[in-house]
């Protein structure tokens, strides 16, 4: 997923026009209808469990105020259409200590590392912006879910270069990132039951690690989202 409501929380942020506008609502409805073909029995989202439970209950009852958030706009829409009683919040709060890693790189002649990370982030956002402007929301989702394009996860490996000897601030960021994704996957595995068809709506940067976790866990089958997104 990408952020529909422009919260500005990422290293590089895509600017999204108003998804409550009629044209974007039509696009979202098309995406939701296409995703429903998976016939999910559970929906997991990048929200804390309590918020997901509370807001989905209000959404289901028709009392939730209008929201541009991608969870409300797409995940809740799919869940309600499929008659799912509760949406599972899988997010876990884990701080990522980017500051010390970036400061170390700056203070130790590694500005090229910062430039590389910035360059990658800007290029990724530019590609998403072009897809959104020319082909719409579904095109951005296809871009983010296509493993060939990459999706930002490798910047955490780039940060492993920030450090030396016993001082490893880049490793601290990498380990925190790995921990957040491992905790998310643990909640996913603990939530799903035999026979469930679980659809998970999460930020694109998490995709490689969550895919790996599900694919490598015995008893689970990873289904590629690309097969259920609207065709080009």
């Amino acid at each position: 997923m990408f952020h529909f409501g422009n919260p500005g929380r990422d290293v590089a942020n895509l600017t999204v026009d108003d998804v409550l506008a009629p044209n974007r609502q039509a696009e979202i409805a098309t995406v939701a209808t296409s995703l429903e073909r998976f016939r999910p029995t559970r929906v997991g989202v990048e929200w804390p469990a309590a918020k997901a439970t509370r807001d989905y209950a209000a959404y289901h009852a028709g009392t939730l105020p209008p929201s541009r958030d991608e969870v409300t706009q797409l995940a809740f829409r799919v869940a309600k259409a499929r008659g799912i009683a509760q949406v599972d919040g899988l997010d876990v709060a884990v701080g990522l200590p980017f500051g010390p890693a970036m400061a170390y790189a700056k203070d130790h002649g590694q500005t090229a590392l910062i430039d590389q990370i910035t360059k990658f982030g800007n290029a990724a956002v530019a590609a998403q912006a072009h897809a959104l402007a020319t082909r719409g929301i579904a095109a951005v989702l296809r871009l983010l879910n296509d493993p060939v394009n990459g999706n930002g996860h490798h910047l955490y490996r780039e940060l492993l270069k920030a450090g030396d000897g016993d001082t490893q601030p880049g490793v601290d960021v990498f380990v925190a990132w790995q921990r957040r994704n491992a905790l998310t996957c643990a909640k996913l595995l603990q939530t799903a039951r035999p026979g469930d068809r679980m659809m998970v709506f999460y930020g694109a940067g998490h995709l490689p690690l969550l895919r790996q976790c599900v694919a490598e866990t015995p008893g689970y089958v990873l289904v590629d989202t690309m097969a259920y997104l609207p065709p080009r």
Side-chain angles (χ1 to χ4, degrees), residues 116 120 149-159 208:
Q116 178 66 19
F120 172 81
N149 293 314
N151 46 39
H153 169 67
H154 72 255
L155 75 84
Y156 295 94
R157 294 196 181 277
E158 282 288 316
L159 279 172

Side-chain angles (χ1 to χ4, degrees), residues 141-227:
L141 295 176
R142 285 193 296 269
L143 178 69
L144 294 176
N145 282 275
D146 185 346
V148 173
N149 293 314
N151 46 39
H153 169 67
H154 72 255
L155 75 84
Y156 295 94
R157 294 196 181 277
E158 282 288 316
L159 279 172
L160 291 175
K161 300 172 184 176
D164 183 66
D166 293 334
T167 303
Q168 297 290 346
V171 171
D172 293 338
V173 178
F174 183 80
V175 169
W177 176 246
Q178 294 276 353
R179 175 173 172 77
R180 180 179 175 189
N181 285 277
L183 287 168
T184 296
C185 192
K187 293 186 72 173
L188 189 161
L189 299 179
Q190 293 158 13
T191 297
R193 296 291 180 266
D196 277 341
R197 299 172 63 84
M198 191 165 190
M199 181 171 282
V200 177
F201 295 80
Y202 238 74
H206 301 271
L207 188 57
L209 291 179
L210 294 184
R211 271 180 168 161
Q212 180 186 21
C213 184
V214 173
E216 295 180 358
T217 301
Y220 294 82
V221 177
L222 179 66
V223 179
D224 192 345
T225 306
M226 295 290 279

Side-chain angles (χ1 to χ4, degrees), residues 45-62:
V45 299
E46 191 180 357
W47 275 9
K51 177 175 174 59
T53 298
R54 181 187 67 244
D55 282 19
Y56 181 62
Y59 178 89
H60 206 277

Side-chain angles (χ1 to χ4, degrees), residues 1-4 14 27-32 34-35 70 74-75 78 127-128 131-132 135-147 149-151 200-204 207 211 224-230 232:
M1 293 298 298
F2 63 99
H3 294 301
F4 286 6
L14 174 66
E27 292 178 24
I28 293 169
T30 297
V31 172
S34 189
L35 291 176
E70 62 277 6
L74 195 51
V78 170
Q128 294 166 33
L132 182 64
R135 301 190 304 281
I137 288 173
V140 184
L141 295 176
R142 285 193 296 269
L143 178 69
L144 294 176
N145 282 275
D146 185 346
N149 293 314
N151 46 39
V200 177
F201 295 80
Y202 238 74
L207 188 57
R211 271 180 168 161
D224 192 345
T225 306
M226 295 290 279
Y228 293 92
L229 287 170
R232 295 182 184 279

Side-chain angles (χ1 to χ4, degrees), residues 105-121:
K106 181 178 180 181
D107 295 341
H108 291 79
Q110 292 181 304
T111 55
L113 173 60
I114 298 174
D115 292 343
Q116 178 66 19
I117 291 172
T118 301
K119 180 181 178 181
F120 172 81

